Amino acid sequence: MIAGLAIVDVATVEVFAQARSGWSGFFTLATLVATVAAAIRLATPYLIAAVGESVGQRSGVLNLGVDGVMLLGAFGAYYTTVETGQPWYGLLVGLGIGMVMGLVYAFITVTLHAEQGISGIGIYLFGLGFSDLLFRQLVGTPRPILGFDGIFDFTLPEGRLEIEYPDLYNHSLVIYLAFLLVPAVTLLVNRTTFGLNIRAVGETPQAADSLGVSVARTRYGTILIGNTLAGAAGAVLALEKGIFIQNMTNGMGFIAVALVYFGAWRPLGVLAGSLLFSLVTAAVLQWKTLGILSGAAAQLTEMAPAAVTIIALVVVTHRIGAPAALTRPFRRGAEH
């Protein structure tokens, strides 16, 4: 018994020593910068999809099919890049697939007045199954592809002072464009006539209709924006990873929908939520790499990003209400 206790004590001491060494390695400038750089890359697909979904929800349309559209966009971009070797062509195909799925979803929910939650789940299941089928039929075995290069990927002449921590800023152009979506969509919603229509339709569609605003046309437009960006998010995910596998989003679309609530239906809040979620994810990955977490503890902390998002989501949604007409189909002359 004493020998057994001695073994346990030695093992415990070794675990704590490894963790202490890992923590000291984590709190170095190089590791912290690498974590932030990884968080920026991880946040990009969430940000693109969630910003697009926020536009749709501001007009009163909830799309739970974001994940399925992302999967279709990811496969379209991947397969196009495999065949052409051009990632920009792949991104364009992802955008096109998202637009087509947007038309389908708009027809189902706006024209046919179908229940949005059920329709969204249907789109998700279709995207999950069809992307898997296309992958098995057209590709079969995963093949790596070349994605986008960093726009600041250059080599300084000998003797010149090297720039430290290039991973912090040397991202691909699409990542910078994704972050530019935040001010662009903010201006669209808050400073344009179309944005005024979006907000009016999302709050009081009957009143907006009585003033001559086309509720159907406005919602068609926002659904197209949201799904096109969802397709782009999937394309960026596949191109940044350089591979496609079945169900590679692993629920990212549903997290994107949650981030819209977290961000209080505002692009800047969505950006904050995306970065928070991805920073926690990147930190957990670093802790595993450094040996700070192992075994059951490592498995439990995989839930940390989702747990943080849920807690923040509960806090935010208690303070700020959703658009009044969210999930409600509009029928002219009907009272809601």
Side-chain angles (χ1 to χ4, degrees):
M1 175 65 92
I2 294 176
L5 287 174
I7 292 173
V8 171
D9 289 341
V10 170
T12 303
V13 169
E14 288 179 351
V15 168
F16 276 110
Q18 184 180 14
R20 187 164 54 248
S21 174
W23 280 116
S24 63
F26 178 73
F27 287 108
T28 61
L29 185 57
T31 303
L32 291 174
V33 167
T35 303
V36 172
I40 292 172
R41 291 191 296 272
L42 290 170
T44 303
Y46 294 108
L47 177 62
I48 298 172
V51 166
E53 174 64 8
S54 70
V55 177
Q57 290 196 24
R58 289 297 291 271
S59 73
V61 180
L62 172 67
N63 181 12
L64 295 180
V66 172
D67 203 72
V69 178
M70 287 180 67
L71 281 168
L72 291 170
F75 175 78
Y78 169 76
Y79 184 68
T80 301
T81 307
V82 167
E83 293 297 312
T84 66
Q86 299 293 329
W88 286 107
Y89 291 170
L91 179 60
L92 289 175
V93 169
L95 286 164
I97 289 172
M99 188 176 296
V100 171
M101 295 305 298
L103 285 171
V104 172
Y105 188 65
F107 178 75
I108 293 171
T109 57
V110 178
T111 303
L112 301 182
H113 307 294
E115 206 281 329
Q116 294 175 13
I118 303 286
S119 303
I121 294 297
I123 293 290
Y124 160 66
L125 293 174
F126 172 77
L128 176 64
F130 196 50
S131 62
D132 185 18
L133 174 64
L134 289 174
F135 177 76
R136 286 188 280 110
Q137 293 296 321
L138 299 178
V139 182
T141 303
R143 287 182 277 170
I145 57 173
L146 294 176
F148 300 109
D149 295 324
I151 60 175
F152 298 112
D153 188 12
F154 56 85
T155 304
L156 294 173
E158 278 190 41
R160 296 290 296 275
L161 181 65
E162 291 189 8
I163 300 176
E164 289 189 313
Y165 311 119
D167 287 346
L168 192 59
Y169 58 85
N170 186 29
H171 301 291
S172 64
L173 179 61
V174 292
I175 292 180
Y176 284 97
L177 291 176
F179 281 81
L180 287 175
L181 279 174
V182 174
V185 172
T186 300
L187 289 173
L188 172 70
V189 173
N190 296 325
R191 294 289 186 268
T192 66
T193 303
F194 180 58
L196 177 62
N197 292 344
I198 291 172
R199 287 179 282 137
V201 167
E203 294 294 337
T204 53
Q206 292 288 354
D209 178 68
S210 68
L211 294 174
V213 176
S214 173
V215 175
R217 191 180 302 122
T218 301
R219 288 186 170 178
Y220 256 84
T222 59
I223 291 170
L224 283 175
I225 291 171
N227 280 267
T228 300
L229 289 178
V236 169
L237 176 66
L239 293 170
E240 286 292 317
K241 288 183 175 293
I243 198 71
F244 178 88
I245 57 175
Q246 293 96 327
N247 194 26
M248 72 178 299
T249 54
N250 196 25
M252 293 177 68
F254 293 101
I255 296 294
V257 173
L259 289 173
V260 176
Y261 286 78
F262 174 92
W265 296 271
R266 290 167 176 78
L268 193 59
V270 169
L271 171 63
S274 301
L275 288 174
L276 173 63
F277 183 89
S278 301
L279 186 60
V280 175
T281 303
V284 169
L285 290 173
Q286 285 284 7
W287 295 341
K288 290 180 181 179
T289 302
L290 295 171
I292 298 172
L293 299 172
S294 60
Q299 294 177 356
L300 285 173
T301 51
E302 288 180 0
M303 298 184 294
V308 170
T309 303
I310 291 170
I311 292 170
L313 185 62
V314 170
V315 173
V316 170
T317 51
H318 270 299
R319 296 183 177 181
I320 302 175
L326 184 62
T327 73
R328 296 180 181 177
F330 171 76
R331 293 178 177 86
R332 176 169 287 181
E335 292 297 331
H336 293 271

